[in-house]
Amino acid sequence: MHSEWAGLENAPASEILSWAIATYGGRFAISTSFQSEGMVLIDMAARISANVRVLTLDTGRLPEETYAMIETVRARYGIAVETVAPERGELDAMIKEHGPNLFYGSVPLRSLCCQIRKVRPLANKLKELDAYAVGLRRDQTQARGAQPKLELNGEAVKLSPLADWSAQQVSAYTSENNVPRHLLYAQGYSSIGCAPCTRAVAAGEDERAGRWWWEDGAQKECGLHYSPEGKAERTVDVLLRQVLEAAHA
Ligand code: SF4
């Protein structure tokens, strides 16, 4: 761990955000899909600085309700959200080879879509940032169980200030501070991503059960935070290389 991070791993979320804003200024941003965790981060950060940057990955397949949240954040906090889009040539090459709804075909094809629409655009955006914050919580999935509050993603410091929060704490902060809620929660969603890959969950279902619901036993991750394991990872590497070769030929 870096020496300047000492003490921050156990610090409260607002203290971590204050440190990041003071340390990195305009080279720090919150990366969010406007789920409640991300909205808590925005609400906290807006109390610290009026100039905090917020970015979202505009995959091209987001639900209308997510675009409405971009408007809501602008109206409530005066923050102009930065949208991060896939690279046009890579998107075209992927769709030409595998079709627009490739994600229903297999886990590697779904992972390929997430790579082109999310992982690579974020990696590109991070070139202009020194640090960014995300809304991961340790109790969301088994894979997130050991999530540190500070880590390196390439050259950028990745902050998860809410890593030790529970869903109940997020809900309580949201209510107490009247933080805007994504409209899809009222329709039974417990985790929100791209429109074709996310559905509402039934009572008692796992928090991320609505993500890629057709996949049986696959890791419910898009590759932004954790990569698929084993054979799926090797296969998506091959698929990605083929798409990138076609895009940049
Ligand atoms: Fe593609 Fe679905 Fe991943 Fe969105 S969530 S990038 S549509 S596979």
Side-chain angles (χ1 to χ4, degrees):
M1 180 180 291
H2 289 230
S3 56
E4 69 265 33
W5 298 355
L8 286 169
E9 190 57 44
N10 296 317
S14 59
E15 191 177 314
I16 294 173
L17 287 172
S18 292
W19 171 80
I21 290 167
T23 304
Y24 301 109
R27 291 184 65 83
F28 166 75
I30 294 168
S31 178
T32 179
S33 56
F34 309 105
Q35 299 185 75
S36 285
E37 290 79 4
M39 291 303 298
V40 167
L41 292 179
I42 292 172
D43 189 85
M44 281 184 179
R47 295 165 194 266
I48 299 164
S49 168
N51 300 315
V52 68
R53 291 174 67 181
V54 175
L55 62 89
T56 195
L57 300 174
D58 184 358
T59 63
R61 303 298 295 262
L62 298 178
E64 278 308 309
E65 291 84 352
T66 296
Y67 294 106
M69 289 302 291
I70 295 175
E71 297 285 8
T72 298
V73 168
R74 176 187 286 272
R76 168 72 181 265
Y77 300 104
I79 296 171
V81 175
E82 301 168 42
T83 53
V84 182
E87 203 266 316
R88 187 72 243 177
E90 295 179 7
L91 198 55
D92 287 346
M94 178 183 75
I95 292 171
K96 187 175 175 193
E97 182 63 29
H98 299 290
N101 291 340
L102 70 164
F103 30 78
Y104 294 129
S106 68
V107 174
L109 283 171
R110 186 270 283 178
S111 298
L112 173 67
C113 186
C114 287
Q115 286 284 326
I116 296 291
R117 292 185 185 271
K118 293 180 177 178
V119 179
R120 288 179 59 76
L122 177 64
N124 200 34
K125 184 72 175 178
L126 289 182
K127 291 175 188 165
E128 63 180 73
L129 296 174
D130 291 329
Y132 68 115
V134 298
L136 292 179
R137 286 188 293 104
R138 290 178 191 138
D139 67 2
Q140 283 170 321
T141 64
Q142 206 174 349
R144 299 181 181 187
Q147 179 62 42
K149 291 188 181 177
L150 293 96
E151 63 187 317
L152 275 177
N153 178 11
E155 301 282 303
V157 180
K158 177 179 175 179
L159 307 171
S160 299
L162 305 181
D164 56 357
W165 281 39
S166 65
Q168 290 72 24
Q169 283 175 285
V170 173
S171 182
Y173 183 99
T174 300
S175 300
E176 286 162 15
N177 297 283
N178 197 24
V179 177
R181 294 189 86 231
H182 198 295
L183 293 170
L184 288 179
Y185 287 121
Q187 297 179 35
Y189 288 68
S190 58
S191 180
I192 298 162
C194 291
C197 300
T198 315
R199 66 160 168 72
V201 297
E205 270 192 301
D206 184 78
E207 184 172 330
R208 285 177 69 83
R211 305 294 287 273
W212 309 290
W213 71 91
W214 63 89
E215 292 180 358
D216 195 17
Q219 197 180 19
K220 303 278 188 175
E221 297 287 353
C222 60
L224 282 175
H225 309 297
Y226 309 96
S227 298
E229 293 164 346
K231 187 163 172 264
E233 181 170 30
R234 291 194 297 276
T235 309
V236 74
D237 284 343
V238 173
L239 292 169
L240 182 60
R241 190 170 67 243
Q242 290 168 343
V243 166
L244 296 184
E245 283 171 1
H248 301 292

